Amino acid sequence: EAESEAPAEEKGAAPTKTDVRAVALKLSKAGKSDVLKEIFAKFGAEKLSDVKEEQYADLMKELNAVG
């Protein structure tokens, strides 16, 4: 059934590492590396690979607020 995936989509699918990386890369290229480091630090991380997957949604909110 194609509808079995619908509930997850209704809540908004959680961002993947690829999604987060794309936004982080855009900020980095825009010269906002310092801001990126500050945001990662809020999550107890130095880089994206240090951030827990369950934190990606919150991380994306932070990144999008800057970008």
Side-chain angles (χ1 to χ4, degrees):
E1 288 181 22
E3 291 183 31
S4 64
E5 295 179 25
E9 289 176 16
E10 286 173 17
K11 289 187 285 184
T16 64
K17 189 177 214 173
T18 304
D19 297 331
V20 179
R21 181 180 289 123
V23 176
L25 186 61
K26 190 169 72 172
L27 291 176
S28 181
K29 287 184 176 181
K32 298 182 180 179
S33 294
D34 290 345
V35 177
L36 267 179
K37 287 180 184 178
E38 289 174 21
I39 293 172
F40 286 146
K42 288 182 184 180
F43 293 87
E46 289 183 22
K47 56 189 183 292
L48 178 56
S49 58
D50 296 335
V51 179
K52 294 182 177 92
E53 198 170 333
E54 59 268 17
Q55 295 177 308
Y56 287 172
D58 292 331
L59 178 57
M60 280 291 272
K61 287 179 192 170
E62 295 269 348
L63 294 174
N64 286 322
V66 174

